[in-house]
Amino acid sequence: MADSGPEGRRTPLSRDRVLRSAVALADASGIDAVSMRGLAQELGVVPMALYKHVSGKEQVIDGMVDLVIGEFEPPDPALDWRGAVRSRVLSARRAVLRHPWARQAIESRTHRSPTVLGYMDAVAGTFIAGGFSPDLTHHLMHALGNRIWGFTPELFAEAPDPDRGADPPTVEAQQAMAREFAERYPHILAIATAATGGDLSRVGQGCDEQFEFEFALDLLLDGADRLRRDGWSSLHRRPRPDR
Amino acid sequence: MADSGPEGRRTPLSRDRVLRSAVALADASGIDAVSMRGLAQELGVVPMALYKHVSGKEQVIDGMVDLVIGEFEPPDPALDWRGAVRSRVLSARRAVLRHPWARQAIESRTHRSPTVLGYMDAVAGTFIAGGFSPDLTHHLMHALGNRIWGFTPELFAEAPDPDRGADPPTVEAQQAMAREFAERYPHILAIATAATGGDLSRVGQGCDEQFEFEFALDLLLDGADRLRRDGWSSLHRRPRPDR
DNA sequence: GACGGTAGGTGTACGGTGTACACCTGTCAA
DNA sequence: TTGACAGGTGTACACCGTACACCTACCGTC
């Protein structure tokens, strides 16, 4: 898995090879498997060898994120601003779904690499080309938040029914827990009931993330459209206290 | 800082004391200072002593998040749904701003503690009491995403001008970099120019997070209001493929 | 052809992390 | 008096990122 020739004379390391290997490793074994030691082993090399090509672990993660962003597809130029933003963001989503670790990796970043800036500039440019002022574009991108990377923080990541604990609970214990849950969190229960069409045995399945994502995206794009047509300008903005 | 008496006979540990100490430590020295060893030292105790009161580090972070959520204030009951949601969320924001580590801690959580569920139930209940269906409430809470915890992922966390590097660059180098930036990221530059009123020397100050937060929040609440008045129902929903 | 610089892989070591496990000790009920 | 047990201790292990010295194979120059 590491060498190329039958013995010795392996293909030399390079920044690119390190990063692609890191992505492959994260795809296969999760982001936690991407340690300098694990990555080195994957490449058939000693950990410190990596430092001749990358400055440290942070830069590895940065590079992995850049590779994912490189998979984002540009929109069809025939699309209007709305379709173009939608296309860009849904393409980002597909890429992030292909690499389940990417969400956490992107969230943990604090640097903005040229690749990241390039993507943000492209999204901003799509708004501006669609007739939005730079100011309004700015606020809308804040409103979109992480959605421009193709994901929303998962509020309902786990099933609402808390089935923690070691051994399988008895039927009575499960019923008692369900009753307590219904008493303590009646609204969450109502939501779960509605989401599963009343079939509470399906509560554990979680929600349709794709639908939720597009719902939120369209809600924001609708709001954007309305502001643009209403001629929103920064005059709506309260004066900002100088700091 | 650890004991209570002049010598010996310290106040005994407890889960609550451990968690409050962890919050204080994170407030003072950042979330990275909250290691089992550092926390134990803060309490004048050996690291393994903590494990008699909490099951591990994950549970410590969970408990810290619960304490922050405990600081959220319930809304004035006289408020309508919109004011109540706004009040709740802005109160959450104030609490999170008081504890700068809370954002990262909340984002890293995967469990939903009873306290977390209770807060989510309260927000959902506010929507439902305002006339929203559980279904629409569900989608809106996804749309709000992490905003219900009082923060948005910071897209523009750093200044757009990349002033990395070791020694202070010459004026010429700075101008060259600015020129390159303007060429590569024209739209980000336009946004930064607009945000600072043309005063590019203020670009490094970042943006007014509070304004951006409220802008996005109100954009979403406006959208929510419109959907409610239009009688949105789950009929708009495409059939969901069974998994 | 000898030589010196250098790019790139190696080995060792340090200080940090979370936590499993055995141990000890003081308190309190029986 | 005894014995259980809650709670604090000490040691140890496996892992992490990475600083630093080293070694080795190549390559252009004289």
Side-chain angles (χ1 to χ4, degrees):
Chain A
M1 157 188 314
D3 286 6
S4 69
E7 43 101 49
R9 191 47 115 257
R10 59 172 154 257
T11 76
L13 249 47
S14 72
R15 184 183 145 85
D16 193 66
R17 220 164 85 78
V18 168
L19 297 180
R20 294 190 182 283
S21 200
V23 167
L25 181 56
D27 284 346
S29 314
I31 191 71
D32 285 343
V34 182
S35 65
M36 295 307 267
R37 286 170 159 87
L39 185 50
Q41 184 169 15
E42 192 77 4
L43 288 158
V45 109
V46 99
M48 286 313 292
L50 303 177
Y51 287 83
K52 291 280 154 64
H53 302 274
V54 294
S55 70
K57 174 153 185 183
E58 287 297 291
Q59 202 185 91
V60 171
I61 308 284
D62 284 347
M64 292 170 71
V65 169
D66 282 357
L67 282 179
V68 172
I69 295 176
E71 295 181 12
F72 294 0
E73 293 158 18
D76 181 336
L79 291 168
D80 67 347
W81 72 267
R82 191 195 178 102
V85 169
R86 208 166 188 281
S87 162
R88 260 192 212 286
V89 170
L90 290 178
S91 169
R93 176 168 179 80
R94 286 192 299 274
V96 167
L97 288 180
R98 278 196 296 275
H99 306 287
W101 46 269
R103 174 192 308 235
Q104 180 188 333
I106 290 171
E107 270 179 336
S108 74
R109 284 314 77 194
T110 164
H111 289 344
R112 310 273 89 129
S113 76
T115 310
V116 169
L117 285 174
Y119 175 63
M120 286 170 53
D121 193 73
V123 176
T126 308
F127 275 115
I128 292 174
F132 291 82
S133 73
D135 199 27
L136 180 52
T137 298
H138 176 194
H139 306 322
L140 288 172
M141 290 185 65
H142 270 282
L144 279 164
N146 268 356
R147 214 160 271 118
I148 76 166
W149 302 116
F151 62 89
T152 332
E154 291 192 44
L155 282 185
F156 300 92
E158 256 179 327
D161 49 356
D163 52 349
R164 308 228 218 114
D167 31 28
T170 65
V171 175
E172 297 86 40
Q174 259 183 318
Q175 284 179 341
M177 269 171 37
R179 218 164 340 164
E180 196 206 324
F181 189 91
E183 268 173 37
R184 291 187 28 149
Y185 316 114
H187 307 106
I188 292 179
L189 183 70
I191 285 173
T193 307
T196 56
D199 179 0
L200 280 181
S201 74
R202 286 177 50 202
V203 161
Q205 293 182 11
C207 28
D208 184 340
E209 290 289 339
Q210 183 69 31
F211 174 82
E212 303 302 342
F213 185 85
E214 297 194 24
F215 177 92
L217 178 58
D218 288 332
L219 186 59
L220 286 162
L221 292 180
D222 282 345
D225 201 28
R226 207 164 295 110
L227 291 177
R228 189 182 54 88
R229 286 205 310 264
D230 291 356
W232 188 95
S233 91
S234 56
L235 296 178
H236 297 67
R237 207 157 179 277
R238 297 149 314 167
R240 171 189 181 187
D242 226 29
R243 5 168 182 164
Chain B
M1 150 184 326
D3 287 6
S4 70
E7 43 99 49
R9 190 48 113 259
R10 59 172 153 258
T11 78
L13 250 47
S14 70
R15 183 185 146 84
D16 192 66
R17 222 165 83 78
V18 169
L19 296 181
R20 293 191 183 282
S21 200
V23 167
L25 181 55
D27 284 346
S29 314
I31 190 72
D32 285 343
V34 182
S35 65
M36 296 307 268
R37 285 170 162 86
L39 184 51
Q41 184 168 17
E42 192 78 4
L43 288 158
V45 110
V46 99
M48 287 313 293
L50 304 176
Y51 287 83
K52 290 280 156 64
H53 302 275
V54 294
S55 70
K57 175 151 186 185
E58 288 297 291
Q59 200 184 95
V60 171
I61 308 284
D62 285 348
M64 293 170 70
V65 169
D66 283 357
L67 282 178
V68 172
I69 295 176
E71 295 181 12
F72 295 180
E73 293 159 17
D76 182 337
L79 290 169
D80 66 348
W81 71 267
R82 189 194 180 103
V85 170
R86 208 166 188 281
S87 163
R88 260 192 211 285
V89 169
L90 290 178
S91 170
R93 176 168 179 82
R94 285 192 300 274
V96 167
L97 289 180
R98 278 196 298 274
H99 306 287
W101 46 269
R103 173 191 307 235
Q104 181 188 332
I106 290 171
E107 271 180 332
S108 74
R109 281 320 72 194
T110 163
H111 289 343
R112 309 275 89 127
S113 76
T115 310
V116 169
L117 285 173
Y119 176 63
M120 286 171 54
D121 194 72
V123 176
T126 309
F127 275 115
I128 291 174
F132 292 82
S133 73
D135 199 27
L136 180 52
T137 297
H138 177 195
H139 306 323
L140 289 173
M141 290 186 63
H142 270 281
L144 280 164
N146 268 357
R147 210 142 7 232
I148 76 166
W149 301 116
F151 61 90
T152 332
E154 290 192 43
L155 282 185
F156 300 92
E158 256 180 323
D161 48 356
D163 53 349
R164 308 231 215 112
D167 30 28
T170 66
V171 176
E172 298 87 39
Q174 260 183 318
Q175 285 179 340
M177 267 170 41
R179 219 166 336 166
E180 196 206 322
F181 189 91
E183 268 173 35
R184 291 189 23 150
Y185 315 114
H187 306 105
I188 292 179
L189 183 71
I191 285 173
T193 307
T196 57
D199 180 0
L200 281 179
S201 74
R202 285 178 50 200
V203 160
Q205 293 182 13
C207 25
D208 184 341
E209 291 290 339
Q210 184 69 30
F211 175 82
E212 303 302 345
F213 185 85
E214 297 194 23
F215 178 93
L217 177 59
D218 288 332
L219 187 58
L220 286 162
L221 292 181
D222 281 345
D225 203 28
R226 210 164 292 110
L227 290 177
R228 189 183 52 89
R229 287 204 308 265
D230 292 355
W232 187 95
S233 90
S234 57
L235 297 178
H236 298 67
R237 207 159 180 276
R238 298 153 312 170
R240 172 190 180 186
D242 224 31
R243 3 172 184 161

